[in-house]
Amino acid sequence: MAFRRDLLDELVVPDGTEAKEVALETDGDVLVGARSTVEFGVRGRNVLAGESVEFGGDIEAEADCRLDMWCDVADNVLVGQDAYIGERVHIGGEMKVAGDLDIGDDVEIDEGFEANGWIVIRNPMPTIVFLFVYLKQLLLIGEEDAAQRLVSQLVDDDEDENEDAEPVPDPLIVPRNATVSDDAWRVSTPATIGDDCRLHGNIRAESIDVGEDCNIFGSLRAREDVTVGEGTRIHGDLTTRSGDVVVEPGARILGDVSCSDLELGPGAEVDGSIRADGEITMGTTERDLE
């Protein structure tokens, strides 16, 4: 997994992520920065959340779940392996853990909990805080290989390091102080959306890079550049404050486009009006050149 110098300085939606009515579903891990609000439930492999994160639905983790202090989960928490719950966490439903449960003080679980393994009542180390402080120190001293190994180990403790092992999917990363809902995805960082994603809600970010063959049911608005991948459909307007827009071949914007420079690839379509302060470049196909 490639990562920036701060693991939570970008919204990253991996390939194949789907926002359904009640949950965000991804094949990999889910990492949520402190003080963020996710109005969906989440379903992933490992689920890790920083302090004071709010979830509007269930959490379903195939492997481990780690919630730091003051998190709030509206419904159930279902964990396939071990759970680490910080102090003053509130869970509005029930909690079921297939493995061990490490739980802090003053945790409220409205409908009770059960664990098949050991239950330890203490204040677990805030794993998100530990992860990012240690990771930053490794990067500051130039130990990028060690930092990469640390991330791989923490997001998948059971990963087989054999060369024949299946590749681990990239995680879904929600940066600090973000809001993710059916209405809007609001972050103050860049946003990168992978291929074959299906998302609902307007996306607001510093810059936006959307992969191929996605369906985004909402508008895109950024302060800087926006790229829309080949074959993607944006069901809304596309606006940048001071950036350029690239719409790759076969992509379609079902709304207006407002930007500085605009580049349209072969077969790209804009259904609404175009307002560009700079140049508009239109690609051509081989048929157009004949």
Side-chain angles (χ1 to χ4, degrees):
M1 178 186 69
F3 57 91
R4 299 163 66 95
R5 297 192 67 85
D6 185 336
L7 195 59
L8 287 177
D9 66 354
E10 182 174 4
L11 171 66
V12 179
V13 181
D15 296 349
T17 298
E18 186 172 358
K20 296 189 175 180
E21 290 184 2
V22 296
L24 279 174
E25 296 188 4
T26 185
D27 292 332
D29 299 326
V30 179
L31 283 72
V32 184
R35 298 174 298 282
S36 290
T37 299
V38 180
E39 295 186 10
F40 301 99
V42 295
R43 296 171 185 165
R45 191 178 51 174
N46 296 296
V47 177
L48 295 84
E51 296 181 5
S52 303
V53 173
E54 296 184 11
F55 293 93
D58 296 330
I59 291 178
E60 296 184 26
E62 294 179 11
D64 293 350
C65 178
R66 299 172 182 258
L67 304 178
D68 281 348
M69 60 185 72
W70 299 305
C71 284
D72 189 288
V73 183
D75 294 314
N76 304 315
V77 176
L78 309 176
V79 184
Q81 295 182 14
D82 300 332
Y84 306 82
I85 308 300
E87 60 183 277
R88 297 181 177 84
V89 168
H90 172 253
I91 297 172
E94 63 179 348
M95 182 174 202
K96 293 185 177 181
V97 181
D100 299 336
L101 172 59
D102 202 345
I103 190 168
D105 295 331
D106 300 321
V107 173
E108 296 182 12
I109 304 174
D110 291 355
E111 298 182 15
F113 68 91
E114 59 182 71
N116 292 333
W118 293 97
I119 299 176
V120 179
I121 300 176
R122 59 178 179 179
N123 290 328
M125 177 182 294
T127 54
I128 292 287
V129 174
F130 171 79
L131 167 61
F132 297 116
V133 169
Y134 186 34
L135 182 62
K136 282 184 177 180
Q137 292 303 314
L138 288 175
L139 293 171
L140 286 172
I141 62 176
E143 294 289 343
E144 296 199 3
D145 290 341
Q148 181 69 68
R149 289 194 298 270
L150 170 66
V151 172
S152 298
Q153 291 169 2
L154 286 173
V155 297
D156 190 2
D157 293 336
D158 299 322
E159 180 182 354
D160 184 0
E161 294 184 359
N162 190 300
E163 292 182 357
D164 296 329
E166 294 184 4
V168 177
D170 287 341
L172 169 65
I173 300 177
V174 178
R176 303 174 187 87
N177 303 305
T179 299
V180 176
S181 72
D182 194 51
D183 177 64
W185 299 51
R186 300 180 186 277
V187 300
S188 57
T189 67
T192 300
I193 298 169
D195 301 335
D196 299 305
C197 293
R198 183 181 178 89
L199 306 179
H200 291 262
N202 304 309
I203 298 176
R204 306 289 184 257
E206 180 181 344
S207 61
I208 304 173
D209 188 346
V210 182
E212 299 179 358
D213 299 317
C214 294
N215 262 299
I216 310 294
F217 294 91
S219 62
L220 306 183
R221 182 181 298 172
R223 290 190 295 272
E224 299 179 4
D225 297 344
V226 177
T227 300
V228 177
E230 186 172 345
T232 286
R233 298 290 182 269
I234 306 298
H235 299 260
D237 298 334
L238 192 164
T239 305
T240 73
R241 183 178 301 174
S242 59
D244 301 332
V245 168
V246 176
V247 182
E248 295 186 352
R252 184 177 179 183
I253 312 300
L254 285 82
D256 300 336
V257 173
S258 178
C259 60
S260 293
D261 293 342
L262 173 63
E263 179 181 337
L264 294 173
E269 299 179 39
V270 176
D271 287 9
S273 61
I274 295 175
R275 295 182 293 274
D277 296 334
E279 298 181 348
I280 298 177
T281 304
M282 303 183 66
T284 55
T285 64
E286 292 183 1
R287 178 179 297 180
D288 294 331
L289 296 174
E290 293 177 355

